[in-house]
Amino acid sequence: MDILNEFFLYIEIIILVILVIILAWYVHDKYVQRDHQLLVNYPIIGRLRYVLEEAREPFRQYFGDEKFYESKDKLDWVYKASRDLPNYASFSPSQPLPKPKFMLRHATIVLNEDEVDTDFSVTFGSNRKKPFTAKSIIARSAMSDGSISPEGTRAFVRGSFMGDFPINSGEGGLTSNFFVTHQNYDEKYMEIVNGTAFQKQVKTAVLKLFNGALAADAYRKLVFKDNPEAETYVFDARTQVFHRPNWNAPLEFFPEEVPEDMPDIILQVSSGLYSVRTKDGKFDPERYQKVMRFCKMTELKIAQGAKQTGGKLIAEKVSPAIAYYRNVEAHKDLFSPNRFPYANSIEELFDFIGQMQELSDKPVGIKIVISDYENIVPYAKEIKKRIEEGNSAYPDYISIDGGSGGSATAPIEMMERIGLNIRDSIYLVNKVLEEYGVRKQVKLVASGKLLTPDDIIVIMALGADFVQIARGFMMSAGCIRARYCSGTTGHDCPVGLATQNKEKRKKYFVHKQAKKVRDYHKNLLKSVRGLLAVMGLKNINELNKHKIMFLDRNSKVHDNIDDVFGRILDIGKDMEDEYHESR
């Protein structure tokens, strides 16, 4: 009986404490605080609003239909493909694709999948000394090491290498994390740091007790101690040493050909010139040559779909490692200039492209966004002029980003206001390049909300030679679309993929996610072959605009794609704008 009384006494005390806290909370919200107007009128319960607001972003994708992408089924396809699961639906789609939409023309006599060519190679810069033949029509699109965590970058690099498809470095440039698969290196161009026998024994003990990630982290701390550049070294589990490229080594020490144990890397150079710049921000030709010994071709980022401003990396993400890679100061906001420094005119840009082509002997292209004819016609004119002059200083490819492209941080006011969607853009650019007779000399690359095999079929039928995918690969690498990528909300990426927060990052499963990245790409190509078979096409190069149709909002089917875009793209007719007046 005494025990029971004592128990009830404890309960009464707990209830009393809770009531006192609620009373104090009430008084504070109603009579003390002056930050939240709502809490003055609705103390305590009003805080529920803020709780729900916090939960809205990370949980939004689990409730209701998908609003930003065409349907939730497409998102489910990505997640299943990355897990290498069968991608079939029962009874009906959970959220049918909305109209208008493109439809695929199927064949009367279809092919079996084994009759469709497995060759998806694309050659860039065929007239360069060292052309690049990509083994796949799909690349992981530009994502900077810095915006993405080091662990995330390593997962993408491993996935790219295992899957044999290209990876775009993003504007952060070529960092040590892109060398994670590179083991057969020459110490002439690598900086090597080795631990002591005792430090290695500690690592082995941690490995037996816990896991490889914790063991490598403990080993790194023992070896580098408080060195702020510790993370710029990649750990080689085979040799038990840390290494990073020695960019101060002479150019002749670097390999003549890209090492076979590295993925096909597309180096992106933005207005900040990261990884190819001097300390004062100028282009460094020798550093560029060194970097290109590990990359297949270059992409100059003139514009991006979701942000026409320069790239933005807030101070929290500019770690000492990122500062080392980009040759800037750590822990300060890193905002690139809006305009590319060597693109004050199209002529100047093309001359700079020619300089990079001569320095690297490899293809160089540009990334732009399209709003109207004036965004592409001047490029086409200058390409035609140079070809006629016998001047090869022009882009080997043009990468087009859709107006809604860009999966990371961008000003919200720009995301839906600038640039045509990727299908309109690709059609327009393909049309203009053909009209100027230069289409065969320039490859066309598409990016912007392309997720699934049908997206790839449609965009390639409209004129693309190659696609770059960001969102799909992010999701395959574990992204749950919580929209905490920027780090400006007071939250970090919950899975450790898009953050520099060490506590979040070190729990990221690099090897597991790398396999999902590989499998997403594998299943994209597999399903593209399946669609080609149904369309009666033996090779991806047989795709063209005559292989698709258009279903409009009124359920009317159109088979003349030129007529469809003639109605959609009612542009180039504002004869009083500055562009037409200057012609």
Side-chain angles (χ1 to χ4, degrees), residues 312-332:
K312 302 185 186 310
L313 204 63
I314 64 167
E316 285 80 356
K317 282 195 169 185
V318 186
S319 65
I322 298 305
Y324 166 81
Y325 297 140
R326 302 195 184 193
N327 211 0
V328 297
E329 193 172 344
H331 307 304
K332 287 192 174 182

Side-chain angles (χ1 to χ4, degrees), residues 109-174:
I109 306 298
V110 300
L111 301 175
N112 292 319
E113 286 187 31
D114 60 3
E115 297 176 282
V116 179
D117 198 346
T118 57
D119 180 15
F120 286 96
S121 61
V122 185
T123 298
F124 295 86
S126 55
N127 60 332
R128 303 298 162 200
K129 291 182 181 179
K130 296 181 179 180
F132 169 42
T133 298
K135 301 180 188 68
S136 172
I137 53 171
I138 303 165
R140 192 216 69 170
S141 193
M143 300 182 209
S144 301
D145 189 356
S147 178
I148 301 296
S149 68
E151 291 77 9
T153 299
R154 292 173 204 153
F156 282 126
V157 170
R158 288 187 181 278
S160 168
F161 181 70
M162 291 188 294
D164 215 6
F165 61 90
I167 180 171
N168 191 308
S169 72
E171 69 175 89
L174 189 69

Side-chain angles (χ1 to χ4, degrees), residues 122-128 130-134 137 139-142 166-171 264-270 288 292 295-303 349-350 353-354 356-357 360-370 375-376 379-380 383 387 392-401 426 429-430 433 438-447 463-468:
V122 185
T123 298
F124 295 86
S126 55
N127 60 332
R128 303 298 162 200
K130 296 181 179 180
F132 169 42
T133 298
I137 53 171
R140 192 216 69 170
S141 193
I167 180 171
N168 191 308
S169 72
E171 69 175 89
D264 291 341
I265 301 170
I266 303 169
L267 175 71
Q268 187 180 82
V269 178
S270 72
Y288 173 66
M292 287 309 295
C295 302
K296 295 289 189 175
M297 66 180 185
T298 304
E299 178 182 88
L300 300 185
K301 180 181 172 183
I302 307 303
L349 173 61
F350 280 22
I353 288 172
M356 301 185 92
Q357 289 163 337
S360 67
D361 290 330
K362 296 178 181 180
V364 179
I366 56 174
K367 181 177 184 177
I368 59 176
V369 176
I370 301 298
N375 297 129
I376 186 57
Y379 288 104
I383 292 171
I387 290 174
S392 64
Y394 58 84
D396 295 294
Y397 67 95
I398 298 176
S399 183
I400 308 296
D401 204 11
I426 284 293
V429 173
N430 183 66
L433 294 180
V438 299
R439 179 64 181 88
K440 291 182 179 179
Q441 287 81 7
V442 181
K443 285 288 188 285
L444 202 51
V445 179
S447 64
D465 299 297
F466 189 77
V467 299
Q468 297 194 73

